[in-house]
Amino acid sequence: MTERLIVAAASGAGLRLERGEQLRIIDVEGGQTGDLVAISADGRQRLCSGRTFDYGGKIYVSTGDTLWSDRSERMLTIVADDVGKHDLLYAPCSIEMYQLQYGVSGYHANCHDNLCAAFRELGIEPEPLPSSLNFFMNADVTADGRLSILAPKTRAGAAMTLRAEMDLFIALSSCPVATCNAGGAIKPLAFEILRA
Ligand SMILES: [Zn+2]
């Protein structure tokens, strides 16, 4: 059985995954990045970039790699990946980031608020929100540690599939940062939940 969900451009959504179920993330139009945060169904464990770096021994993840929790348990495994480049370094964009880096004075749609709202709709308190898996985001690190954000490698129809290794709440956001999306228009994303 497959459930399909569309997340509108610059907005978010939440879902529940049971252990063994799979989530397929699809870049419908191409060039769109997004953020994913996972919290265990009991609320005690959160996605942790640092632990994922510890146990994977690298900062880039793709097929076969596991995303770990802050309590050192396996949360998600990437079982298929058309894109092969994602980011685990950057925190989700937030209203403060738009104010500090882009000079925005009023409100701006942002992944932090999208993700928090999606978790709250599921009845889970997300804050403090951990760093996200920024799927399809193409960030490079130079030998001296400098970061740059490049155009995403994802194309229309490209997808990645993750398998839940525990019962999870998941929040997703279509990222509204133009820099992450090659300066183009912000687009929707699609998600399919593949239940056993
Ligand atoms: Zn964002």
Side-chain angles (χ1 to χ4, degrees), residues 33-35 91-94 98 110-112 134 173-177 180:
T33 63
D35 292 32
C93 65
S94 65
Y98 286 98
N110 65 87
C111 290
H112 181 277
N134 303 311
S173 174
S174 160
C175 184
V177 179
C180 299

Side-chain angles (χ1 to χ4, degrees), residues 9-129:
S11 66
L15 55 96
R16 171 84 188 244
L17 272 188
E18 305 295 322
R19 184 178 176 188
E21 292 179 341
Q22 297 189 4
L23 174 67
R24 187 161 177 262
I25 302 170
I26 304 148
D27 184 3
V28 182
E29 298 181 28
Q32 179 61 42
T33 63
D35 292 32
L36 177 154
V37 169
I39 299 178
S40 62
D42 64 6
R44 296 180 68 246
Q45 303 191 55
R46 279 147 206 266
L47 177 66
C48 185
S49 296
R51 293 288 168 227
T52 300
F53 300 153
D54 279 349
Y55 305 130
K58 56 185 179 178
I59 59 168
Y60 299 127
V61 291
S62 187
T63 306
D65 292 325
T66 293
L67 304 175
W68 291 80
S69 79
D70 51 0
R71 291 178 183 259
S72 295
E73 289 189 34
R74 294 172 188 272
M75 297 193 103
L76 291 156
T77 299
I78 301 171
V79 296
D81 182 8
D82 294 332
V83 178
K85 188 72 182 287
H86 313 281
D87 174 68
L88 279 165
L89 296 168
Y90 282 92
C93 65
S94 65
I95 186 59
E96 294 83 1
M97 188 214 76
Y98 286 98
Q99 291 166 350
L100 287 166
Q101 290 196 295
Y102 296 88
V104 169
S105 54
Y107 188 73
H108 191 292
N110 65 87
C111 290
H112 181 277
D113 287 354
N114 289 345
L115 295 164
C116 287
F119 280 123
R120 290 193 180 108
E121 270 185 36
L122 294 167
I124 193 108
E125 175 48 48
E127 294 198 84
L129 190 73

